[in-house]
Amino acid sequence: MTFSEYAYKRPDIEALSEQFEELLRDFDNADAETQVELVRAIKRLRSVFSTQHSLCHIRHTIDTTDDFYEKENAWFDEVTPTFEALVNRFNRALVDTPHRDAIVAAFGPQFVRRTEISLRSFDPATIDLLAKENQLASAYMKIKAQAAIEFRGETYNLSSIQPLLLDPDSETRRAAAEAKWSFLEAAEPEMSRIYDELVALRTEIAQTMGHDDFVSLGYDRMARTDYGAREVAEFRRQVREDIVPLATELYERQRKRLGLDKLTFFDEGLNYPQGNPTPKGTPEDTVAAATELYAELSPETDAFFKLMRERELMDLVARDGKATGGYCTYLYHHCVPFIFSNFNGTSGDVDVLTHELGHAFQMYESRRQPVMEYILPTYEACEIHSMSMEFFAYPWMEGFFGKDADRYREAHLESAVKYLPYITAIDEFQHRMYAEPELTPAARMEVWSELEGIYLPHRGYDGHDFLERGGLWLRQSHVFQMPFYYIDYALAQVCAFQFWERDQQSHKSAWRDYLRLCKAGGSESFLDLVQLANLQSPFATGTVREVVKSLRAAMN
């Protein structure tokens, strides 16, 4: 079937609960062999709920004005914590079983580790609070999705205005940026209220569960089994010392390339005075170029991308009412991934396509993993697949950009470096927010301004009041919807840079390790997966510095 033929039906939560209860009773009284089979049965039951939830989410984000799916999305916001409570009871039974060795033998130790950490990240006593948290996150997404930005007689959303922010004409860039940020400034009171409630709510949830603050609970929610806040703080230090100076040099190189006296916030997206490279032709031409790329990259990617096209598992073009950003999700019942993005005629179309196809390819290669936890690894491991795929696609950029392919590769590599300090600043910002939940909205803005001075010392806002007050972070969806899911991109980028370097030395060896990593899915922890792929841990002393040496050599 194609995606449009996938039937959506609201799960019968009462019937699912009854089936879950029956399986739990059976599990408690079963021998080791039967318990292994019951794990598989419960996986099938969970996949029913998860698949319908994903279908609803996809169709809601494709058109946030669709009343039916908006109501269904609200229903899932409310009942998902109830279903998670059932899963939590199963996880408790799994951890307490006297047949633990048989479970580990069947599914591996990472399955039990993920189960244990999920027990630490959920408490049935917080169900009502979790439902409220979901509702607040959805409210934030809707504000951004339904943006209507008036500019020179036309109406744009946050995706469709992007090409104007990259216009070679300085006045157009400035005016478009002011229009975009005027929308976000107008939304500031509501966004700040939402975030204020989210911080208070998440702190209450954490304290109800016995945590001092939300930070440790946030890490548990991210299923980080082999590192914590201390290791991440050390990684941020390496970024400050080794990446920030390189990024600052690249911004200065960009300023000179553009022939500007100073680089202001509305110039940062423009890499070349004649304009950034853009995909040649229509969105269909971009997909055709991707078809050629994946047909030639490997037999596995060829089969995978044919499936994505034939089953219509991609919704790529920006439209009014469509949620912002891009993502890849998995439909467990159908054993296929789905890609969502917002093509707007910029090089970002190719960035997001190759990035999300990296996620989707990993899910495709992991589709036969025995448990749901292994189909999707933890997020920082997931981002290795996506960011590395962007680099593996480099040799085929002529198909997307024609004679501008070299410029695309140069700008893409520079942007990957320049992005790291911003990611790291967002992560430190979140740690500060949950360590000091009593901060006022104005104080939060001050913290962001302070961090910008450390991680983005080049940045100038040219007198823009909202941004100079520290308003930029309000645009970052992860801060609202997935707390502490952002440093994952920086950790993964350091790993992806290693694949980029190795691919230039020996494509065969680099691709073999990448394919092994994708097939492993989430069957190992993050650091074990890094080792499996023959990469150096981003936490290890000297890894970031060595990566910077390779980048400097290439960029010079």
Side-chain angles (χ1 to χ4, degrees):
M1 294 187 294
T2 62
F3 177 76
S4 61
E5 296 172 314
Y6 291 170
Y8 171 76
K9 182 180 180 182
R10 178 188 286 189
D12 184 336
I13 195 68
E14 292 184 3
L16 280 175
S17 298
E18 290 177 7
Q19 294 173 59
F20 228 106
E21 295 285 358
E22 182 178 350
L23 290 171
L24 283 170
R25 286 193 296 271
D26 292 343
F27 188 88
D28 287 339
N29 300 312
D31 58 25
E33 184 178 351
T34 305
Q35 281 194 345
V36 168
E37 291 306 312
L38 286 168
V39 169
R40 297 189 174 101
I42 289 173
K43 171 198 167 186
R44 289 191 291 272
L45 198 61
R46 290 171 62 197
S47 77
V48 171
F49 184 87
S50 176
T51 299
Q52 295 305 318
H53 192 181
S54 293
L55 278 172
C56 173
H57 174 72
I58 293 167
R59 289 172 179 164
H60 175 56
T61 53
I62 285 173
D63 182 5
T64 61
T65 66
D66 185 306
D67 185 61
F68 174 78
Y69 282 109
E70 180 171 8
K71 290 177 179 175
E72 293 302 290
N73 186 70
W75 181 83
F76 274 108
D77 283 347
E78 184 176 346
V79 304
T80 295
T82 300
F83 189 75
E84 288 175 349
L86 292 169
V87 176
N88 182 260
R89 287 179 55 200
F90 164 65
N91 289 340
R92 173 57 61 195
L94 193 66
V95 167
D96 292 342
T97 179
H99 307 302
R100 184 182 177 118
D101 290 346
I103 300 295
V104 170
F107 304 112
Q110 179 66 1
F111 177 55
V112 176
R113 287 195 292 265
R114 288 284 297 270
T115 301
E116 289 172 337
I117 205 166
S118 70
L119 286 172
R120 299 203 304 268
S121 62
F122 179 85
D123 188 329
T126 66
I127 284 178
D128 291 342
L129 299 175
L130 292 170
K132 178 64 174 174
E133 182 185 1
N134 290 339
Q135 291 160 7
L136 288 167
S138 291
Y140 170 81
M141 182 193 75
K142 188 173 180 178
I143 291 172
K144 291 180 67 178
Q146 298 187 3
I149 303 168
E150 300 299 325
F151 182 72
R152 294 180 178 176
E154 301 288 339
T155 302
Y156 298 88
N157 59 33
L158 288 169
S159 297
S160 61
I161 201 170
Q162 190 64 22
L164 296 169
L165 301 172
L166 307 176
D167 196 284
D169 178 67
S170 177
E171 285 308 310
T172 299
R173 291 198 306 278
R174 177 193 288 274
E178 288 178 349
K180 169 190 169 179
W181 289 107
S182 291
F183 161 75
L184 288 164
E185 184 173 13
E188 176 194 350
E190 182 63 7
M191 286 182 171
S192 291
R193 180 196 65 79
I194 289 171
Y195 192 65
D196 205 50
E197 290 189 33
L198 281 169
V199 170
L201 192 63
R202 287 167 178 157
T203 300
E204 182 181 356
I205 291 169
Q207 292 175 346
T208 299
M209 295 174 64
H211 298 267
D212 291 333
D213 57 37
F214 179 74
V215 175
S216 57
L217 176 58
Y219 272 61
D220 285 346
R221 285 185 176 187
M222 297 300 295
R224 293 170 178 167
T225 60
D226 51 4
Y227 67 93
R230 180 180 300 176
E231 288 80 4
V232 172
E234 169 60 19
F235 176 75
R236 291 198 303 265
R237 182 194 62 77
Q238 294 186 65
V239 170
R240 289 193 300 271
E241 293 183 1
D242 297 313
I243 299 289
V244 169
L246 176 58
T248 304
E249 291 174 28
L250 292 176
Y251 281 115
E252 176 61 12
R253 177 185 294 189
Q254 180 184 4
R255 182 194 67 78
K256 292 178 178 178
R257 198 161 56 211
L258 294 175
L260 299 172
D261 294 331
K262 62 177 180 178
L263 191 74
T264 57
F265 74 99
F266 58 83
D267 298 315
E268 286 187 17
L270 183 69
N271 291 294
Y272 302 98
Q274 67 270 48
N276 290 352
T278 56
K280 306 307 177 186
T282 64
E284 290 75 20
D285 294 325
T286 297
V287 173
T291 302
E292 180 179 354
L293 186 171
Y294 290 109
E296 296 177 6
L297 180 56
S298 75
E300 294 86 359
T301 54
D302 184 29
F304 151 73
F305 197 66
K306 284 178 179 175
L307 176 138
M308 296 296 289
R309 292 194 67 180
E310 290 168 1
R311 300 199 189 177
E312 301 172 4
L313 296 169
M314 299 181 286
D315 189 292
L316 302 175
V317 181
R319 294 184 298 275
D320 289 341
K322 188 175 180 181
T324 59
Y327 65 78
C328 178
T329 190
Y330 192 74
L331 298 163
Y332 288 94
H333 183 70
H334 302 286
C335 299
V336 294
F338 185 92
I339 288 175
F340 171 100
S341 73
N342 278 278
F343 278 10
N344 54 23
T346 68
S347 60
D349 297 351
V350 178
D351 296 343
V352 74
L353 183 63
T354 54
H355 182 99
E356 300 303 340
L357 282 169
H359 285 308
F361 179 65
Q362 176 270 307
M363 295 175 192
Y364 171 81
E365 286 296 315
S366 300
R367 66 195 183 280
R368 294 188 178 88
Q369 287 285 354
V371 288
M372 293 171 71
E373 288 79 1
Y374 287 1
I375 293 173
L376 298 182
T378 49
Y379 287 104
E380 74 290 87
C382 284
E383 298 304 340
I384 300 177
H385 313 125
S386 56
M387 291 176 154
S388 299
M389 182 63 84
E390 295 178 45
F391 292 128
F392 280 118
Y394 269 11
W396 287 269
M397 284 302 115
E398 278 74 10
F400 297 98
F401 296 99
K403 61 182 175 57
D404 289 335
D406 278 341
R407 283 182 178 165
Y408 169 80
R409 284 184 280 256
E410 177 183 52
H412 179 271
L413 190 60
E414 289 185 2
S415 296
V417 174
K418 291 187 288 189
Y419 191 34
L420 285 173
Y422 171 73
I423 295 170
T424 316
I426 287 286
D427 183 69
E428 187 162 336
F429 176 79
Q430 293 191 87
H431 280 80
R432 290 277 295 275
M433 294 306 98
Y434 290 106
E436 305 172 66
E438 72 286 350
L439 288 176
T440 64
R444 292 190 180 108
M445 305 277 264
E446 291 174 5
V447 170
W448 176 253
S449 291
E450 173 195 334
L451 293 172
E452 277 192 330
I454 296 169
Y455 289 97
L456 305 165
H458 72 282
R459 179 158 288 170
Y461 286 126
D462 203 35
H464 195 290
D465 176 68
F466 174 65
L467 295 173
E468 288 191 340
R469 286 192 292 111
L472 183 133
W473 68 272
L474 287 163
R475 74 177 184 179
Q476 197 61 54
S477 300
H478 302 73
V479 175
F480 289 79
Q481 296 175 299
M482 293 284 288
F484 297 112
Y485 174 25
Y486 208 53
I487 196 65
D488 305 71
Y489 291 99
L491 297 170
Q493 188 70 77
V494 170
C495 295
F497 280 141
Q498 295 176 62
F499 268 131
W500 160 75
E501 183 180 14
R502 291 182 54 199
D503 193 40
Q504 297 173 84
Q505 297 167 351
S506 170
H507 171 72
K508 183 178 180 181
S509 171
W511 181 257
R512 181 184 63 239
D513 285 345
Y514 177 79
L515 187 60
R516 184 191 308 116
L517 179 69
C518 290
K519 289 181 181 293
S523 60
E524 304 285 351
S525 68
F526 170 60
L527 293 179
D528 286 342
L529 287 170
V530 168
Q531 186 175 23
L532 180 72
N534 291 316
L535 303 172
Q536 296 300 310
S537 165
F539 299 121
T541 302
T543 296
V544 174
R545 186 158 295 174
E546 286 302 311
V547 164
V548 166
K549 285 182 182 178
S550 299
L551 290 165
R552 282 188 183 279
M555 290 173 175
N556 287 337

